[in-house]
Amino acid sequence: MKLSVITLTYNKLEYTKKFIESLYKYTKDFELIIVDNGSTDGTVEYLKSLKDVKLILNNENKGFSAGNNQGTELAEGEYIGFLNNDILLYPEWFEACEDVFKIEKAAFISPRHINPHYDTTDEKSYINYFKNNFKYAQKYEKSFDECVFSCVITKRTVLNNLGLFDENYTQAFFEDNDFKYRAIEAGYGVFVTNEACFFHFGSVTSKTLNQNLEANRKYYYSKYPFAEYLSISGSEKYQLQRMAKQFRVFPLNKMYEIYLICIKIKNRLNKIITEGKKS
């Protein structure tokens, strides 16, 4: 198959059922790998009833990073998707992401993210809402912040170069930004396609967990001090969305471009120094 979809579950069976229905409706040529992190609400019994699903059952909640790493070990597809169980998909969402990979040296690509915290829509109208209200001049664009791991596609070859999720992040948050930083430093871009969207109910699972948000934040910034100037995540982003509906004008993409230039200069200088030593 072309695509391996990896999804984590931890209770919230009603959302998982909606997600799987949407996945099979709008996705072709894929395998589904589900990692359950210790559900107790009937989710495990439901997952066992599904056909042609690779299932990993953990006795405890291992968190976002470890769970996705487990799923990746079973993945056989050329492309690998990390998809939350509280999302709904859009027609040809994967094809829209794949088109970007054919053009750009990309590490991660997401469809546009529609979330009820930020937009006046719901699961019954999100497809028409996206078609009627989101008009973009470009089919895709570089965007560190809008490339979100609620629904993101990468390639096996990318993971072979970058490695897997950093499991020092528990239970969730900031591990996605960490991955994107590593990708940028390795010379890849991260993108969002404007040709498709996905609907996200929003933190359905994570809000029930001990997120260790502040510890994750400190660890992230200790690894990447420039991060606070490039991206705003978690509660900070939510507050900005509440304060200003024109959040997209915030210069995250400009900072992203500057960061890419700095990386290129750094790599060029390192090459010059290395060549000088050899001579």
Side-chain angles (χ1 to χ4, degrees):
M1 76 297 301
K2 179 176 288 188
L3 169 66
S4 296
V5 172
I6 300 171
T7 296
L8 308 186
T9 55
Y10 178 66
N11 297 323
K12 304 299 179 181
L13 175 57
E14 66 274 23
Y15 291 95
T16 299
K17 288 181 176 179
K18 292 177 182 179
F19 160 70
I20 290 178
E21 180 181 352
S22 178
L23 177 68
Y24 278 92
K25 183 176 182 179
Y26 293 123
T27 316
K28 304 172 184 177
D29 191 21
F30 72 99
E31 66 171 353
L32 177 57
I33 302 167
I34 298 183
V35 182
D36 185 81
N37 271 329
S39 294
T40 58
D41 68 340
T43 293
V44 172
E45 290 73 17
Y46 166 73
L47 296 177
K48 287 181 177 179
S49 72
L50 300 176
K51 297 181 179 180
D52 301 322
V53 173
K54 294 181 179 179
L55 184 59
I56 297 174
L57 300 177
N58 293 326
N59 293 325
E60 60 181 358
N61 196 318
K62 293 182 177 294
F64 188 83
S65 292
N68 278 308
N69 287 346
Q70 285 180 289
T72 301
E73 292 178 0
L74 297 183
E76 299 181 38
E78 174 189 359
Y79 293 89
I80 296 176
F82 301 109
L83 278 63
N84 281 14
N85 69 323
D86 62 343
I87 67 171
L88 300 175
L89 296 166
Y90 186 89
E92 298 185 347
W93 67 277
F94 169 69
E95 288 79 1
C97 294
E98 184 184 22
D99 286 344
V100 183
F101 276 109
K102 293 177 180 178
I103 301 171
E104 300 284 352
K105 183 183 179 182
F108 301 106
I109 301 170
S110 289
R112 279 287 170 184
H113 180 202
I114 295 179
N115 185 296
H117 292 311
Y118 313 141
D119 299 306
T120 55
T121 187
D122 57 40
E123 71 275 15
K124 294 180 181 179
S125 61
Y126 70 97
I127 292 179
N128 287 333
Y129 178 77
F130 180 74
K131 288 180 178 179
N132 296 330
N133 293 280
F134 290 80
K135 308 297 180 183
Y136 297 97
Q138 299 174 315
K139 291 185 176 181
Y140 66 91
E141 58 190 282
K142 287 181 178 177
S143 180
F144 187 95
D145 207 59
E146 294 298 327
C147 178
V148 292
F149 277 46
S150 308
C151 179
V152 69
I153 300 297
T154 187
K155 299 188 76 172
R156 167 64 66 183
T157 52
V158 171
L159 298 183
N160 288 343
N161 290 332
L162 298 181
L164 301 179
F165 284 91
D166 184 340
E167 296 186 16
N168 288 306
Y169 295 98
T170 59
Q171 294 279 341
F173 293 112
F174 290 98
E175 66 286 299
D176 52 350
N177 279 2
D178 183 296
F179 222 155
K180 288 184 284 185
Y181 259 90
R182 279 189 279 152
I184 292 171
E185 290 183 333
Y188 295 95
V190 295
F191 297 84
V192 59
T193 175
N194 297 321
E195 298 286 280
C197 75
F198 71 96
F199 180 88
H200 190 197
F201 288 98
S203 301
V204 166
T205 299
S206 60
K207 66 184 179 182
T208 67
L209 301 173
N210 178 12
Q211 298 172 13
N212 295 322
L213 184 60
E214 191 56 36
N216 285 354
R217 186 198 308 274
K218 289 180 180 179
Y219 177 62
Y220 175 58
Y221 287 141
S222 71
K223 292 181 67 176
Y224 309 105
F226 187 75
E228 61 181 307
Y229 301 105
L230 177 62
S231 178
I232 295 174
S233 302
S235 61
E236 297 162 346
K237 180 177 178 179
Y238 175 58
Q239 292 301 326
L240 276 176
Q241 288 282 5
R242 291 184 62 188
M243 290 187 291
K245 294 185 180 300
Q246 300 300 318
F247 179 73
R248 288 192 180 91
V249 306
F250 194 82
L252 295 178
N253 284 341
K254 293 296 182 183
M255 296 301 298
Y256 177 76
E257 295 294 342
I258 293 171
Y259 183 68
L260 289 178
I261 292 172
C262 291
I263 291 295
K264 289 180 180 179
I265 293 173
K266 175 184 174 183
N267 292 339
R268 179 59 180 165
L269 289 175
N270 289 339
K271 184 177 180 181
I272 292 173
I273 293 172
T274 301
E275 291 176 350
K277 290 180 178 179
K278 290 180 179 179
S279 63

